[in-house]
Amino acid sequence: MSEPRDILPEDEIHRGPPMTVSRYGPGKRLNHWITASCLILLALSGLPLFHPTLFFLTRLFGGGQNTRMLHPWIGVVLFFSFFIFFAQLWRANLPVRVDVQWTAQIGDFIGGHEDRLPELGKYNAAQKLIFWGMAFFIVVLIASGLVIWDQYFENVTPIALRRAAILIHSICAVLIILLFILHVYAAFWVRGTLRAMTRGSVTGGWAWRHHRKWLKELAGRGRIDQAK
């Protein structure tokens, strides 16, 4: 019997006590933090290039020239880092029918009445939205960024295209910053979530409350360690 698409190789229930559930392996956690660090560095280096009032941020990178030089290279690292992550998780983030119902009842989620929500797999609709939003914006940012990377592509891109690329790049940069802030806020707001990306596991109670279908699938398929 094939595994459901939202069950990954490292997903496993540990009896404890206390009972915990493995959610992310060391490689995925490292990749996540590299991606997050790149997003922060790109925001700090990109904002001073966006508006002169924020030029003081270039001091963090040793001045304006260093900032202009480092910014696109950090973007390249972000692109490859995120899409290694993307290749591992895209199937688990595909929309399913229950996501529509969850979205319609998002007020219950915000209000803390998750007992009224349908049982979920590894990710809810909001997590999937952030995942696919990040993927979309990163693709657009790397494509538009290459067009305006003067050091390598100034002589092969027409001025009109570069002007359009600057506008698109700026808009998408603002939107991905807002999406990143939403992601960070949700990680702290839903207590116990951040642990998944620091320790790699969540508590059994957290899994039962937020992703009960995923937990039941792990148990039903015998994804339980043999520790006593």
Side-chain angles (χ1 to χ4, degrees):
M1 183 183 297
S2 61
E3 297 281 19
R5 63 193 184 196
D6 61 347
I7 291 183
L8 301 178
E10 64 268 25
D11 296 355
E12 184 179 51
I13 298 171
H14 301 280
R15 302 171 190 268
M19 189 184 89
T20 59
V21 188
S22 295
R23 192 164 170 86
Y24 297 108
K28 288 186 178 69
R29 298 201 306 274
L30 176 63
N31 211 16
H32 171 272
W33 290 114
I34 291 173
T35 300
S37 299
C38 286
L39 281 168
I40 294 170
L41 290 173
L42 284 167
L44 292 174
S45 59
L47 287 172
L49 301 176
F50 176 74
H51 199 277
T53 58
L54 298 172
F55 191 75
F56 68 92
L57 291 172
T58 61
R59 298 172 188 170
L60 298 172
F61 303 91
Q65 289 184 332
N66 285 341
T67 302
R68 185 66 184 90
M69 180 271 293
L70 289 171
H71 181 79
W73 283 112
I74 298 171
V76 171
V77 174
L78 169 70
F79 176 79
F80 285 105
S81 174
F82 179 81
F83 278 96
I84 291 172
F85 202 58
F86 178 88
Q88 297 170 326
L89 298 178
W90 71 271
R91 283 176 54 83
N93 280 276
L94 289 173
V96 293
R97 184 174 298 176
V98 73
D99 294 331
V100 177
Q101 183 181 350
W102 187 93
T103 303
Q105 295 180 236
I106 196 169
D108 291 327
F109 174 74
I110 296 173
H113 302 293
E114 294 189 58
D115 54 304
R116 303 174 186 173
L117 295 169
E119 293 186 356
L120 298 176
K122 188 162 186 173
Y123 299 107
N124 61 41
Q127 291 169 317
K128 292 177 181 179
L129 178 64
I130 290 173
F131 178 85
W132 290 106
M134 284 286 182
F136 173 78
F137 287 129
I138 288 173
V139 168
V140 176
L141 284 166
I142 192 70
S144 57
L146 290 174
V147 172
I148 59 177
W149 197 349
D150 291 345
Q151 184 178 359
Y152 297 104
F153 303 104
E154 181 180 11
N155 296 323
V156 295
T157 53
I159 293 177
L161 178 61
R162 289 166 61 194
R163 287 174 176 169
I166 290 172
L167 178 61
I168 294 170
H169 195 83
S170 300
I171 292 171
C172 287
V174 172
L175 293 176
I176 200 172
I177 289 172
L178 294 175
L179 194 62
F180 180 70
I181 291 172
L182 176 63
H183 175 60
V184 172
Y185 176 78
F188 283 97
W189 181 60
V190 181
R191 186 177 299 176
T193 300
L194 191 60
R195 169 187 172 134
M197 275 301 175
T198 54
R199 304 185 193 180
S201 65
V202 293
T203 64
W206 185 96
W208 178 260
R209 179 175 181 181
H210 300 294
H211 300 277
R212 190 172 302 178
K213 182 182 176 183
W214 174 64
L215 182 64
K216 287 182 175 180
E217 287 174 341
L218 292 177
R221 292 172 181 271
R223 299 290 288 268
I224 306 173
D225 65 16
Q226 301 303 311
K228 299 296 183 179

